[in-house]
Amino acid sequence: MSDPDELQRDELLRIEGIRKAFPGVVALDGVDFDLRRGEVHVLLGENGAGKSTLIKMLSGAYRPDAGRIVVGGEETRIGGAQDAERLGIATIYQEFNLVPDLTVAENIFLGRQPRRLGMIDRKRMEAEAAVLLERVGVDVSPRARVRDLGIARLQMVEIAKALSLDARVLIMDEPTAVLTTEEVERLFAIVRALREDGVGIVFITHHLEEIAALGDRVTVIRDGRSVGQVPASTPEDELVRLMVGRSIEQQYPRERAETGPALLSVEGLTRDGVFHDVSFEVRAGEVVGVAGLVGAGRTEVVRAVFGADPYDKGAVKVAGSRLRGHDVNAAMAAGIGLVPEDRKGQGLVLDASVEENLGLVTLRKATRAGLVDLKGQREAAARIAGQLGVRMAGLGQHVRTLSGGNQQKVVIGKWLLADTKVLILDEPTRGIDVGAKVEIYQLINELTAAGAAVLMISSDLPEVLGMSDRVLVMAQGRIAGELAAGQATQDAVMALAVSTPAAPTTPAETDTETEASRGH
């Protein structure tokens, strides 16, 4: 049995009875939490449960309405980011807090640049950044512009930035959401090393399998209240029950629908140096999953299909009709919708309301003689928001203030209003809790049952296997193979993902290889 005095000496942080309300919403209502030296304390809960509000209290973004925060044995007020830094608290947010036009080194040491003779010592700054980047195992130059990095590398830069603060309390909000298995293992090694150094880590994740692998204790928050504290070895079923107040019998409730004709056909799509000779089709009533390692070219292909990026060769057809390349409006008019992996940067207008975001795609159709049918738009937005179960104070609430899961529902909802035929989902459940994931899976089932086609990219391999009727595997910018649902296993997918696909040399060979790959 632990010595209470010893536990108190090891305590880095304690929160008692924290309450925080916003207009129309009580975000936190009596939350208790504590963190000890050299432990990983997992903070678990559905989107909208209050986790983000709680960590913003600790980072100084919000101030509590009631309750107390104790750091190092002394009650304190955290009035801003500088207060948090002074107290030894660093936060790695799920949505990145980096300046795109600055270099990696400039971002890591933003506001804390080393100086020499009154000038920024750029050589020293880049050398120290290189050490931190090597520590987190990311191969990126300190001089690289942040805007040129992919999401996985951005996440590792955020971690390097937090490590540069030499924090005693490190808060990590969904740090593994965009990482490959290898990158996750590297991150876990970093976290374990920090724990050995006595750092206390608040770890937020929706991947339940990570809890037992890394955590020591778990505090569960539901509807703004802390409902339990349990060991990290607690079975997943019990964690789910604590989180959502009910058991989830089936994690991937895929309902197979009758498939119809091909709604989306991609033929020999090529963008030099990025992806090569990509061909596939998605039929009505079908979910086609796209698996592969980070950097395989998955996102680049679907952005080209949607018209957001150009391509050099090939064709995209919807219901047999060829689309004009690099034309988003043409893709949307043909019935293609894209839910991007970066929902905040590309899928939403953060300072607009729920209603305005839901009506973005249908705004042109709802406009007659320069006037928008506001009543019709509002009624349609209310119907979709209700159908999707968006948790909000009202349609006028700014999307920026919604939880990640509810933001994702709004991104999907705008395409539902547009009667989309082909919905492309790029990492649709990244950063979303297990309860909201099942709701989105049910929505996918409803779409395919109604005759839509779904193309889904996901780095969550169990999700791809659980929800796809067929799985395409990409490697090095090419389709490495195709697996039917009955053939698709984690081993089979990973074997293709790490393979070196052969480059076809003639159109005839391309067709043969594509057909042959279906037998993998």
Side-chain angles (χ1 to χ4, degrees):
M1 190 171 179
S2 300
D3 180 353
D5 291 335
E6 184 179 338
L7 291 179
Q8 189 170 5
R9 284 194 301 273
D10 283 341
E11 186 179 87
L12 294 173
L13 170 73
R14 180 159 36 91
I15 294 168
E16 297 177 349
I18 287 291
R19 189 180 195 276
K20 181 65 178 177
F22 300 98
V25 178
V26 177
L28 297 174
D29 189 14
V31 170
D32 299 317
F33 180 83
D34 68 280
L35 179 69
R36 299 170 192 157
R37 193 184 318 276
E39 80 161 344
V40 177
H41 194 149
V42 177
L43 191 60
L44 192 62
E46 290 189 275
N47 286 104
K51 304 186 305 297
S52 294
T53 302
L54 182 59
I55 65 174
K56 284 178 179 177
M57 299 270 191
L58 295 174
S59 64
Y62 295 156
R63 294 187 182 181
D65 299 330
R68 58 199 295 257
I69 298 174
V70 178
V71 179
E74 295 185 6
E75 185 172 350
T76 187
R77 293 181 63 186
I78 305 176
Q82 288 185 333
D83 285 349
E85 185 178 325
R86 175 177 52 81
L87 292 165
I89 300 171
T91 303
I92 302 171
Y93 289 104
Q94 178 184 339
E95 305 297 343
F96 309 127
N97 190 23
L98 299 169
V99 182
D101 289 326
L102 298 183
T103 68
V104 169
E106 288 167 339
N107 269 280
I108 289 174
F109 292 104
L110 189 62
R112 302 173 291 111
Q113 298 95 330
R115 293 182 176 271
R116 184 171 179 268
L117 302 176
M119 304 288 288
I120 293 176
D121 189 343
R122 187 165 295 277
K123 184 176 180 180
R124 178 182 161 197
M125 180 175 69
E126 291 176 353
E128 291 181 2
V131 171
L132 290 165
L133 293 167
E134 184 178 1
R135 186 176 175 189
V136 299
V138 61
D139 181 19
V140 61
S141 168
R143 298 180 181 179
R145 295 280 169 189
V146 160
R147 70 164 58 258
D148 297 328
L149 303 182
I151 284 185
R153 284 180 170 172
L154 290 176
Q155 177 68 83
M156 302 308 275
V157 171
E158 281 278 25
I159 294 168
K161 180 180 176 181
L163 294 180
S164 75
L165 295 169
D166 197 24
R168 290 178 296 160
V169 173
L170 181 59
I171 302 168
M172 308 182 85
D173 186 6
E174 291 287 343
T176 65
V178 295
L179 304 183
T180 65
T181 301
E182 181 181 344
E183 289 164 338
V184 168
E185 286 302 320
R186 190 179 302 138
L187 173 66
F188 280 12
I190 293 166
V191 171
R192 291 181 182 116
L194 290 169
R195 179 168 58 186
E196 288 296 315
D197 289 341
V199 176
I201 296 156
V202 181
F203 196 89
I204 298 173
T205 182
H206 292 309
H207 296 291
L208 299 184
E209 70 278 4
E210 294 177 356
I211 295 172
L214 194 65
D216 297 299
R217 289 187 293 159
V218 181
T219 288
V220 182
I221 296 180
R222 185 170 76 233
D223 298 329
R225 294 187 172 98
S226 42
V227 296
Q229 187 182 105
V230 295
S233 57
T234 301
E236 290 186 10
D237 288 350
E238 176 63 12
L239 293 175
V240 169
R241 189 192 63 76
L242 284 168
M243 257 202 307
V244 302
R246 63 187 187 279
S247 61
I248 295 179
E249 299 299 332
Q250 188 179 1
Q251 195 170 2
Y252 304 106
R254 176 69 182 130
E255 297 171 5
R256 311 292 172 188
E258 290 288 330
T259 58
L263 291 184
L264 175 66
S265 300
V266 176
E267 301 171 357
L269 210 64
T270 297
R271 183 177 177 187
D272 292 338
V274 182
F275 51 84
H276 313 275
D277 197 56
V278 173
S279 300
F280 62 88
E281 64 181 24
V282 189
R283 297 181 173 276
E286 183 179 41
V287 177
V288 173
V290 186
L293 303 179
V294 171
R298 297 169 300 166
T299 292
E300 291 79 1
V301 166
V302 298
R303 282 180 57 83
V305 169
F306 185 62
D309 293 337
Y311 53 88
D312 299 310
K313 290 187 291 185
V316 177
K317 297 179 181 178
V318 176
S321 297
R322 183 166 181 162
L323 291 185
R324 193 164 51 247
H326 200 195
D327 190 335
V328 170
N329 288 329
M332 289 168 55
I336 299 180
L338 170 65
V339 175
E341 63 173 336
D342 180 5
R343 60 175 171 260
K344 285 195 174 183
Q346 300 171 2
L348 295 166
V349 179
L350 293 175
D351 290 322
S353 68
V354 172
E355 178 184 336
E356 289 165 335
N357 272 277
L358 285 170
L360 284 174
V361 179
T362 54
L363 187 60
R364 183 176 297 178
K365 290 182 181 178
T367 303
R368 296 287 184 274
L371 297 175
V372 179
D373 178 10
L374 293 176
K375 182 181 178 184
Q377 286 283 87
R378 187 173 298 114
E379 289 174 350
R383 174 175 55 80
I384 287 294
Q387 177 186 335
L388 298 183
V390 178
R391 296 181 185 177
M392 58 185 178
L395 287 172
Q397 183 176 349
H398 279 191
V399 162
R400 181 185 297 279
T401 63
L402 296 179
S403 68
N406 286 300
Q407 288 177 346
Q408 189 74 325
K409 289 179 183 179
V410 172
V411 179
I412 295 173
K414 71 181 182 184
W415 294 112
L416 296 186
L417 279 176
D419 294 325
T420 301
K421 295 177 185 176
V422 179
L423 185 60
I424 302 171
L425 302 170
D426 193 353
E427 303 290 357
T429 64
R430 180 173 73 85
I432 292 178
D433 64 76
V434 65
K437 280 183 180 181
V438 173
E439 291 174 357
I440 288 176
Y441 299 152
Q442 294 288 14
L443 178 59
I444 291 171
N445 287 335
E446 291 171 18
L447 284 167
T448 53
V454 174
L455 181 66
M456 183 180 74
I457 294 173
S458 178
S459 298
D460 184 343
L461 196 47
E463 176 176 86
V464 172
L465 299 179
M467 289 302 295
S468 301
D469 301 303
R470 288 184 290 125
V471 178
L472 304 175
V473 185
M474 287 195 67
Q476 301 179 30
R478 298 181 184 273
I479 300 290
E482 178 181 318
L483 300 166
Q487 300 171 312
T489 63
Q490 294 202 30
D491 288 346
V493 170
M494 288 308 298
L496 288 170
V498 299
S499 66
T500 302
T505 56
T506 68
E509 288 176 5
T510 299
D511 293 340
T512 302
E513 181 178 341
T514 302
E515 291 299 321
S517 70
R518 292 175 183 165
H520 281 218

